Amino acid sequence: ETGVTQTPRHLVMGMTNKKSLKCEQHLGHNAMYWYKQSAKKPLELMFVYSLEERVENNSVPSRFSPECPNSSHLFLHLHTLQPEDSALYLCASSQGSTGGSSPLHFGNGTRLTVT
Amino acid sequence: QKEVEQNSGPLSVPEGAIASLNCTYSDRGSQSFFWYRQYSGKSPELIMFIYSNGDKEDGRFTAQLNKASQYVSLLIRDSQPSDSATYLCAVSGGYQKVTFGTGTKLQVIP
């Protein structure tokens, strides 16, 4: 496989469920990201990992818990979500460097619906 | 306060015309500027990136950056119906922190 792969593509979960989103990148990049995309809102950065260390946490509620076991894999663990958390969750990777940014490569996203 | 602003559109242009998409940003320290295209139901894909003032051309696409005016634009020449999508402007003010605008929806009319 090439690029950035996300699973599952669609997820419906109740407010009391626990689920995880998975992302894998095959580009040799050293930085990985979680973004949230809601209707009529800009993409919101949730988490950034560089060389497996979290460098950005944009005040995301604790019901979202990221995990980055290595530079190729990224998870987003979900628990006790709210209906307003329903959105498209996008994983991205880049070849990070100090000063400025390199382009992001996105996965196909997970469409999450919280009932 | 919005950090990256775009007109949400829709911007309608006839096939073969030039589409002009605009973006302003608030952080004067921004260093990297990106345009992504997002088809309905799909994820964003990179179209262009620009780091220096001036124009950068790639095929039918030209990105223009004016840091003094805090303005970046994307021109699409010879617009095709397949260019119909939402175009996202993204700006980086520092190490791997990329801020997106809400996007401009482009409709190319055959």
Side-chain angles (χ1 to χ4, degrees):
Chain A
E1 293 210 43
T2 60
V4 181
T5 304
Q6 286 187 246
T7 55
R9 293 294 307 275
H10 301 272
L11 178 62
V12 179
M13 59 186 289
M15 293 167 62
T16 58
N17 292 158
K18 289 185 180 181
K19 297 287 184 182
S20 295
L21 309 184
K22 179 183 176 182
C23 177
E24 184 174 0
Q25 60 97 2
H26 305 270
L27 299 169
H29 290 164
N30 61 11
M32 297 187 76
Y33 310 72
W34 281 115
Y35 278 89
K36 176 184 178 183
Q37 188 173 37
S38 305
K40 300 192 186 301
K41 286 187 174 182
L43 278 162
E44 301 172 52
L45 177 63
M46 300 177 72
F47 300 103
V48 179
Y49 277 84
S50 177
L51 299 172
E52 303 148 45
E53 284 193 31
R54 191 161 72 191
V55 297
E56 182 82 20
N57 173 359
N58 259 16
S59 302
V60 178
S62 59
R63 57 186 183 269
F64 296 91
S65 175
E67 178 189 0
C68 186
N70 55 60
S71 61
S72 298
H73 294 86
L74 184 66
F75 296 89
L76 187 63
H77 304 298
L78 316 171
H79 65 98
T80 59
L81 295 191
Q82 304 298 310
E84 61 265 27
D85 297 322
S86 299
L88 180 67
Y89 288 84
L90 290 161
C91 174
S93 70
S94 73
Q95 188 55 37
S97 60
T98 55
S101 293
S102 52
L104 298 170
H105 296 257
F106 286 92
N108 287 324
T110 295
R111 174 67 63 184
L112 173 67
T113 303
V114 181
T115 60
Chain B
Q1 181 181 357
K2 289 185 180 180
E3 297 183 39
V4 179
E5 292 207 36
Q6 296 181 256
N7 188 321
S8 60
L11 172 66
S12 294
V13 299
E15 183 174 355
I18 296 175
S20 178
L21 304 161
N22 305 313
C23 172
T24 59
Y25 59 93
S26 59
D27 183 358
R28 284 199 170 274
S30 299
Q31 301 173 1
S32 309
F33 306 85
F34 308 91
W35 284 99
Y36 291 84
R37 177 176 63 198
Q38 187 172 24
Y39 291 113
S40 180
K42 303 292 185 181
S43 60
E45 57 179 328
L46 180 72
I47 298 296
M48 295 278 294
F49 61 90
I50 186 167
Y51 299 143
S52 304
N53 273 332
D55 295 0
K56 179 181 179 182
E57 185 174 323
D58 183 1
R60 296 187 295 113
F61 299 95
T62 299
Q64 299 175 316
L65 174 62
N66 184 327
K67 289 187 177 181
S69 300
Q70 296 176 244
Y71 177 91
V72 58
S73 65
L74 179 69
L75 300 178
I76 306 175
R77 289 182 299 281
D78 188 24
S79 296
Q80 301 297 308
S82 59
D83 295 326
S84 298
T86 296
Y87 288 79
L88 305 175
C89 174
V91 174
S92 172
Y95 181 53
Q96 293 168 331
K97 178 175 170 54
V98 181
T99 303
F100 284 81
T102 52
T104 297
K105 186 173 183 178
L106 174 66
Q107 294 177 340
V108 180
I109 311 301

